[in-house]
Amino acid sequence: MLGVVLLIAYWPWVRNHWDRLTGSRTGLDAAVSLDTEYWCPMCPGVLSDWPARCPVCHMDLVRRKKGEPVPLPDGVVARMQFTPYRVQLAGIRTAPAEFRPLAWEATCGGRLEASRSERLEVKVDVPRDGLAAVRPGLTADVECDARSGEKFRGRVQVAGPDVDPQTQTIRVLLTVDDERQELRPGLFVTVRFRVPLTRLDQSDRLAREAWRDRTAAEVALHSLSPFARPPGIESLLDGACHFALHGSGLTLAVPAGAVIDTGDRKLVFVERMAGMFDGLEVTLGRRCGDYYPVLRGLAPGERVVTAGAFLLDAETRLNPAMAAAYFGAAARPPAPSPPTSEDEQLIARQKLCPVTDAPLGSMGAPVKLVVEGRTVLICCKGCEKELRADAKKYLAKVPR
């Protein structure tokens, strides 16, 4: 009876050793341990307990210890992965970042006055956030209770540059078009301003800066690899579409419920793969109703978490170990030291990874190895196994 009890108590240990003694001693079986997993640096959501190839990018999975810290991509401040059950349980919902007709709006009141030119005028106090939007020549809708249901057009003549320190408003003078002379001086009117965000200088300037930075990055990549596509074509097409939508008054926007405001920065969680969410720092404009305009940090079509974003943020703060178990989001390793002049010369001479033919630097900092007495750079750690397995083939592609 004692032997039976001990066998039951130590059955997992006995079964493990029995399998090792009687099972097939293949390379896969020998490489697997309870504290080891395999992941894809390009598709971090792909995990396996066995050596394999990534089903998405077909790269060899890289071995690591479970919970080992892994550097996150630039711009990603947190990364979480939930099972489908937890996603449903938490009620996480996503929606794409898309272009919407957002506009700055303000409603002000004032009394009609007669001007020297026998036209009616009205002076209103506009909130200071309209300083960049309200300029001479801007039109606005003017409504009067005495003429209910009718709208008159007003045009800004003077927009005071000074902000009243007490009311935090600016004084704006408008003339009112009343060809049928239905209005009279002394009547109280409501002035409604509406300016598309695409007409504001900040939105247009940041869009042009983003296009400039992307084009510069493509040109730099082309200088490293002569086989890359001609620089600027993709960014030019995207920029043309973006500016065409801007010209139609459409702005890239996300729902207000997707934004996490920490006080010093604003975050949104983007669904990269099924159940995998990246926390990105974004630059947003002023809120317009239920949406925020996106000035920098997101691309059209990226799916952001609209319900459950606060839960994801709380998990990254209160339980960072859960993210670390998958991707190492709990503790980021120190930033790599800048390449030495010798490394820079080696990168400029070699240019391409001999395994994938990808430009060095396209997958992060190149990895330097010594293979058969020669110093070789590869694009990522996942190429090391294949390089060492057929060193002569790949070393022949590396210039001396």
Side-chain angles (χ1 to χ4, degrees):
M1 292 293 295
L2 180 61
V4 172
V5 172
L6 291 176
L7 179 62
I8 295 175
Y10 289 93
W11 175 250
W13 181 84
V14 173
R15 180 179 180 180
N16 186 30
H17 281 71
W18 177 260
D19 290 342
R20 289 191 177 186
L21 292 173
T22 62
S24 59
R25 299 293 295 175
T26 63
L28 294 181
D29 296 330
V32 175
S33 62
L34 296 177
D35 63 343
T36 300
E37 64 184 3
Y38 295 82
W39 72 297
C40 178
M42 298 300 298
C43 311
V46 177
L47 294 175
S48 174
D49 292 331
W50 310 89
R53 286 184 178 270
C54 175
V56 180
C57 65
H58 304 291
M59 288 181 57
D60 285 337
L61 300 185
V62 179
R63 182 175 179 174
R64 71 175 183 186
K65 291 185 178 180
K66 292 184 179 180
E68 179 183 353
V70 176
L72 297 175
D74 293 338
V76 178
V77 300
R79 174 171 281 168
M80 301 291 289
Q81 183 174 18
F82 287 169
T83 63
Y85 173 74
R86 288 208 63 188
V87 171
Q88 293 296 326
L89 186 64
I92 297 177
R93 299 291 183 270
T94 62
E98 54 189 3
F99 287 88
R100 291 182 174 273
L102 301 185
W104 172 85
E105 298 180 356
T107 301
C108 311
R111 291 186 181 275
L112 293 174
E113 300 175 358
S115 65
R116 294 181 181 180
S117 60
E118 297 183 355
R119 301 188 64 179
L120 294 177
E121 297 178 343
V122 59
K123 296 178 181 178
V124 295
D125 294 326
V126 179
R128 66 174 184 177
D129 60 356
L131 186 61
V134 180
R135 298 178 179 179
L138 176 68
T139 59
D141 292 332
V142 179
E143 301 177 2
C144 180
D145 292 340
R147 307 295 300 182
S148 179
E150 295 187 31
K151 291 183 179 180
F152 301 87
R153 188 171 70 170
R155 187 178 299 274
V156 176
Q157 300 298 325
V158 179
D162 299 327
V163 178
D164 191 315
Q166 296 182 351
T167 62
Q168 293 297 300
T169 58
I170 57 175
R171 179 57 60 91
V172 177
L173 173 65
L174 302 94
T175 57
V176 181
D177 295 337
D178 182 21
E179 298 178 355
R180 293 182 294 181
Q181 298 183 353
E182 297 176 343
L183 301 177
R184 295 292 183 270
L187 290 176
F188 183 83
V189 294
T190 301
V191 180
R192 304 184 188 278
F193 295 96
R194 189 179 188 279
V195 181
L197 294 185
T198 54
R199 293 176 55 183
L200 301 182
D201 290 342
Q202 183 185 22
S203 176
D204 184 69
R205 176 176 57 84
L206 290 177
R208 294 182 182 277
E209 289 179 356
W211 175 79
R212 178 200 63 194
D213 295 342
R214 181 173 179 181
T215 304
E218 289 187 6
V219 172
L221 181 61
H222 185 269
S223 65
L224 295 175
S225 173
F227 303 103
R229 68 181 64 183
I233 293 181
E234 185 175 352
S235 62
L236 181 61
L237 294 176
D238 289 347
C241 295
H242 192 87
F243 292 130
L245 293 171
H246 263 225
S248 302
L250 300 177
T251 303
L252 185 65
V254 294
V259 179
I260 305 293
D261 192 346
T262 64
D264 57 344
R265 60 185 179 183
K266 293 180 173 61
L267 305 175
V268 296
F269 283 90
V270 178
E271 186 180 26
R272 295 301 189 190
M273 301 177 67
M276 189 184 80
F277 305 94
D278 282 354
L280 303 181
E281 183 175 357
V282 293
T283 303
L284 305 176
R286 66 187 72 185
R287 179 171 177 173
C288 297
D290 295 332
Y291 293 89
Y292 277 102
V294 179
L295 304 180
R296 185 181 289 120
L298 277 180
E302 289 188 308
R303 300 194 67 86
V304 298
V305 176
T306 57
F310 286 96
L311 173 63
L312 291 173
D313 183 60
E315 288 284 359
T316 59
R317 296 172 184 271
L318 301 178
N319 190 19
M322 184 176 68
Y326 290 98
F327 307 105
R332 299 189 64 174
S337 57
T340 63
S341 57
E342 181 181 354
D343 291 342
E344 291 179 349
Q345 293 177 1
L346 186 60
I347 294 174
R349 183 171 66 251
Q350 183 176 328
K351 296 183 180 179
L352 301 177
C353 172
V355 178
T356 63
D357 293 327
L360 295 175
S362 61
M363 300 183 184
V367 179
K368 183 164 67 172
L369 302 173
V370 177
V371 181
E372 296 186 358
R374 294 183 58 185
T375 302
V376 184
L377 294 176
I378 55 178
C379 60
C380 64
K381 192 69 175 177
C383 297
E384 180 178 3
K385 179 180 178 182
E386 192 169 349
L387 172 63
R388 295 189 183 276
D390 196 354
K392 293 184 178 180
K393 170 185 174 182
Y394 295 114
L395 289 178
K397 303 168 63 176
V398 179
R400 292 182 178 272

